[in-house]
Amino acid sequence: MLPEYLSQVKELVKDKMLKSISNNNEIEEAMAYSALADSKMIRAGLVFASSETNKNISKESIITLSSAVELMHTYSLVHDDLPCMDDDDLRRNKPSSHIKYGEANAVLAGDALQALAYEIIVNDNFLSADDKVNAIDLLSKACGKNGMVFGQYLDIENENNQNIDLKKLDDIHNLKTGKLIECAVMLGQIGSSLESESLNVLRDFSSKIGLAFQITDDILDVTQMESILGKNKNSDAKNNKLTYIDIIGLGEARLKANKLTDSALNSLNKSNITNIDKLIEMAKYLISRES
C-alpha cells in the first residue's frame, strides 16, 4: 500500500541525506534541521514510482536522485519562508529555519542544500557520466530562471494583483510547483529505454498532477487545521495572493483538481508503459491527502 511505500522511501532518502550533510558546523546543523524534518516526501515518492517503469537504473541511483530532488525542494521552502519572501514562521510543524537559526544562516543553509543536490548526483557511483549530466540538466532547468525560481518571482510580483485570471495563475504554479514535480517523474527515467512517445506521456502526466497538487494545496490552506498542515494557515491571504479558491471557488477548485488527475491517469492508462501502479497511486494521493 502507498503509506508503507512512502514510509520506505522516507527511510532510504533520510538515511542518504543524513550521511551527506554531516554535523560539523551550524550551517550543516541548519541544513539537517530542515531536510530531515518530518515531511511527505512526495517528490521522492514520484522518483521511486516513475523508476518502477525503468529497468536501466539502480536502486542506489534512485535513492540519490530522490534525495537530490528533496534537497532542492527543501532549499526552496527555506527561502520561501524568509521575511523577504512569504514570511512564514512555521514549516513541517517546527519553527522555520530563519526563526531557529536567523535569516543569514537560513539563506546560507538553503544555498548549501541546493549545491548538495548536485553534489550527490555527481558522486553517485552507479550513474554514467551521461546520466549524471542529464539528471543535472533536468534539475537545474526545473529550478532555475525558467522554472521554480521564475515561478516564485511571478508569485511575489503578483501580490495585491486582483486582476489575475485562471490562465495566469496556472502559469505561475506550473513554474513554481509543477516543474519540480515534473522533474521528479522524469528523474525516474534517467537511462530509460522508453520511446519518446512514452516519455511525453509521462511529462504530460506529471504536468497535470503537478497543477492538481497545487490546487489541492490552495484548498487545504483554507480548509485544514494548522497542526495538520504543519505550516501557517491562510498564508496566501496574509500575503495578498489570489488562489484558485479566490478565482473559481472551493467547489470548482476541487473539480479542476479531479479533472486534471483524471486526464493524467487516462493518458497513462492508454499508453504502452508498464508497471505504472505506483504512479497511479501517487497521482490519486496528491489530491486526497490531508496536508
Side-chain angles (χ1 to χ4, degrees):
M1 299 299 290
L2 192 63
E4 183 180 345
Y5 184 79
L6 286 177
S7 179
Q8 293 172 351
V9 169
K10 286 183 188 182
E11 184 177 344
L12 292 167
V13 170
K14 281 192 175 185
D15 182 63
K16 175 74 173 182
M17 292 195 294
L18 181 62
K19 291 176 180 176
S20 302
I21 293 173
S22 284
N23 190 27
N24 297 316
N25 52 60
E26 191 169 12
I27 295 304
E28 287 189 328
E29 182 184 324
M31 292 166 69
Y33 175 82
S34 296
L36 300 175
D38 189 38
S39 66
K40 296 179 289 294
M41 288 209 181
I42 284 170
R43 291 150 192 83
L46 286 168
V47 178
F48 267 79
S50 177
S51 72
E52 301 266 350
T53 75
N54 181 3
K55 298 177 181 178
N56 302 327
I57 189 169
S58 69
K59 180 69 171 292
E60 291 82 1
S61 295
I62 296 167
I63 296 169
T64 292
L65 297 172
S66 299
S67 301
V69 78
E70 285 296 334
L71 289 167
M72 191 65 72
H73 176 54
T74 301
Y75 128 74
S76 75
L77 299 180
V78 170
H79 281 196
D80 280 0
D81 288 341
L82 291 167
C84 63
M85 304 279 260
D86 290 346
D87 193 17
D88 285 323
D89 59 12
L90 183 68
R91 176 65 65 178
R92 294 174 173 170
N93 275 319
K94 303 198 300 185
S96 298
S97 181
H98 68 276
I99 299 296
K100 176 78 172 177
Y101 294 98
E103 288 183 47
N105 285 343
V107 171
L108 293 171
D111 291 343
L113 287 165
Q114 183 190 61
L116 183 59
Y118 298 119
E119 181 182 332
I120 64 172
I121 293 173
V122 170
N123 290 332
D124 186 273
N125 292 323
F126 299 90
L127 291 170
S128 69
D130 284 346
D131 286 343
K132 290 176 183 180
V133 169
N134 290 335
I136 290 171
D137 184 54
L138 274 172
L139 196 56
S140 58
K141 285 179 177 176
C143 299
K145 64 184 178 63
N146 296 314
M148 183 177 67
V149 167
F150 188 51
Q152 177 69 359
Y153 161 78
L154 291 174
D155 195 40
I156 294 170
E157 279 293 294
N158 283 281
E159 289 177 2
N160 298 305
N161 181 2
Q162 298 301 308
N163 297 314
I164 296 179
D165 59 18
L166 191 57
K167 182 183 182 306
K168 180 69 172 179
L169 195 61
D170 283 350
D171 289 343
I172 290 171
H173 290 304
N174 277 326
L175 291 167
K176 184 182 176 184
T177 304
K179 286 292 184 182
L180 195 56
I181 285 179
E182 179 180 334
C183 175
V185 173
M186 301 316 295
L187 282 173
Q189 296 303 312
I190 290 295
S192 171
S193 56
L194 288 181
E195 296 180 356
S196 58
E197 182 179 349
S198 294
L199 292 174
N200 286 334
V201 168
L202 288 173
R203 287 189 191 94
D204 179 67
F205 165 85
S206 58
S207 177
K208 287 174 179 173
I209 66 169
L211 192 53
F213 172 89
Q214 180 59 51
I215 295 170
T216 303
D217 254 16
D218 282 3
I219 293 169
L220 293 172
D221 188 54
V222 299
T223 62
Q224 190 57 277
M225 293 186 296
E226 194 168 277
S227 59
I228 295 177
L229 287 175
K231 58 184 179 179
N232 295 118
K233 184 179 173 69
N234 296 317
S235 178
D236 290 325
K238 178 195 72 176
N239 290 307
N240 298 307
K241 296 178 184 180
L242 285 182
T243 69
Y244 287 95
I245 314 305
D246 297 317
I247 294 178
I248 60 177
L250 184 59
E252 283 299 315
R254 285 196 173 107
L255 185 61
K256 181 177 173 71
N258 285 324
K259 284 183 175 179
L260 282 165
T261 303
D262 287 344
S263 177
L265 293 176
N266 187 50
S267 298
L268 192 61
N269 282 318
K270 286 182 177 179
S271 74
N272 294 321
I273 307 171
T274 58
N275 299 322
I276 58 175
D277 290 352
K278 283 295 183 291
L279 278 174
I280 291 171
E281 287 185 67
M282 285 295 299
K284 292 177 178 178
Y285 167 70
L286 295 190
I287 59 169
S288 63
R289 61 200 164 91
E290 295 184 349
S291 65

